[in-house]
Amino acid sequence: MDLVSLADVRAAADDIAGTVVRTPLLPTLWDDELWLKPESLQPVGSFKLRGATHAVARLDPAARARGVVTHSSGNHGQALAYAARAAGVPCTVLVPEGAPQVKVDRIRALGAEVRLVPPARRLAEAERVAADTGAALVPPFDDRRIIAGQGTIGLEIVADLPDVDVVLVPVGGGGLSSGVATAVKALRPSATVIGVEPLLAADARDSLAAGEVVVWDVERTYRTSADGLRTHLSALTLAHLAERLDGIVAVSEEEISGAMGRLVREARLVVEPSAAVAVAARLFHRDELPAGHTVAVVTGGNVDPAVLGSVLA
């Protein structure tokens, strides 16, 4: 399979400049060897803006006129809506029923048409809309443009911390971890890139062990509070992770909650559960990780206020 290259990621970096915020690395007061990459500071509150902006930038004029469509639990939908609005492109987002209302509201506020669908039907419905309207389907992760765009996080990490030893990155569909691993391993071969996912949605761990995509049904994955990480890998992302990811760690719901509280109270970052898993790995599974300068990717801040309140109670 043709994998995304460092050159692809660098081209994406050129495409997203001016729309996407170049987030800083934040040192932490509680861990002298831990830095945070706060993608929660993006205009739409998550890293997804990178891949979405790159994908829209790569559309030809005829495709732009027909618009874009995607399926998303929220963050990718917001990101594509924002990128499409910035480029003057119509956008439709198929959102699975049960997604946080705060995310649904924000997608609509960005000018996209939202259609709620059963979780198991999200891809099929998006493909139907694309077929009916001619809109370009921009998947949340199963797309080379998306992987390259998310990989720009890896470029920035190595630029800002050239001697980085460990990068911890959340894994849902695998687009982010595929892109980050691509950039980091190319620029800093000695660094270790570890994926992190919820124990209640550990299908990526199972997929890597099996050497093929293992799908957990939605009844299993919907048990985790980390709604952005309930998605399984694709053949494309599995191929990237099998070649470029050094390992994977699964964290419990209690560990995710504890990491969220630490990030809010001590790093002053508003984060959603999915964004806390990399920090949870460092806090609670340090003995499973290599030593050295470590960066945890904090992926988003689009949290339901009730969830945030329960963590801080």
Side-chain angles (χ1 to χ4, degrees), residues 218-232:
V218 295
E219 286 76 16
R220 291 181 77 188
T221 59
Y222 267 59
R223 297 173 301 162
T224 181
S225 61
D227 58 278
L229 304 179
R230 293 169 177 163
T231 315
H232 58 79

Side-chain angles (χ1 to χ4, degrees), residues 25-313:
L25 285 186
L26 302 177
T28 58
L29 292 175
W30 68 85
D31 186 335
D32 289 342
E33 290 201 313
L34 176 65
W35 285 259
L36 307 175
K37 181 68 168 167
E39 288 296 295
S40 51
L41 301 181
Q42 293 294 346
V44 295
S46 87
F47 75 94
K48 295 281 192 177
L49 187 59
R50 295 172 181 269
T53 300
H54 179 46
V56 170
R58 294 281 149 160
L59 296 175
D60 62 41
R64 288 183 177 219
R66 291 190 297 270
V68 291
V69 60
T70 195
H71 56 96
S72 169
S73 62
N75 283 341
H76 175 66
Q78 286 185 66
L80 188 63
Y82 184 100
R85 186 178 71 172
V89 172
C91 179
T92 302
V93 181
L94 286 300
V95 175
E97 295 161 350
Q101 189 62 40
V102 64
K103 295 183 179 182
V104 176
D105 291 344
R106 286 174 181 161
I107 294 170
R108 286 198 174 107
L110 288 166
E113 178 186 352
V114 173
R115 301 185 191 180
L116 295 175
V117 297
R121 291 285 305 163
R122 51 194 275 178
L123 175 57
E125 289 298 315
E127 290 174 338
R128 185 184 61 79
V129 171
D132 289 348
T133 66
L137 180 61
V138 182
F141 57 88
D142 188 24
D143 188 286
R144 290 175 53 85
R145 301 164 299 177
I146 297 295
I147 291 171
Q150 320 307 26
T152 59
I153 291 172
L155 294 183
E156 294 172 13
I157 288 171
V158 177
D160 290 350
L161 190 66
D163 58 348
V164 62
D165 298 305
V166 183
V167 177
L168 303 174
V169 56
V171 181
L176 172 65
S177 46
S178 294
V180 169
T182 294
V184 172
K185 299 300 283 190
L187 293 169
R188 172 82 169 157
S190 64
T192 300
V193 183
I194 303 289
V196 189
E197 64 183 345
L199 195 60
L200 295 184
D203 53 284
R205 179 191 62 188
D206 288 358
S207 297
L208 287 165
E212 62 183 14
V213 175
V214 173
V215 178
W216 286 24
D217 61 46
V218 295
E219 286 76 16
R220 291 181 77 188
T221 59
Y222 267 59
R223 297 173 301 162
T224 181
S225 61
D227 58 278
L229 304 179
R230 293 169 177 163
T231 315
H232 58 79
L233 302 181
S234 68
L236 179 63
T237 56
L238 177 60
H240 283 81
L241 299 186
E243 180 168 314
R244 295 168 179 171
L245 197 68
D246 294 299
I248 197 155
V249 171
V251 294
S252 71
E253 295 302 295
E254 294 75 19
E255 290 165 349
I256 294 170
S257 179
M260 281 184 69
R262 180 67 68 92
L263 285 164
V264 174
R265 291 187 178 95
E266 299 187 36
R268 278 83 51 198
L269 291 174
V270 174
V271 298
E272 59 193 277
S274 303
V277 298
V279 172
R282 177 71 176 185
L283 287 172
F284 301 104
H285 297 264
R286 192 164 179 171
D287 59 338
E288 300 173 37
L289 304 172
H293 293 161
T294 299
V295 173
V297 181
V298 178
T299 49
N302 294 319
V303 61
D304 188 303
V307 173
L308 185 61
S310 68
V311 169
L312 297 176

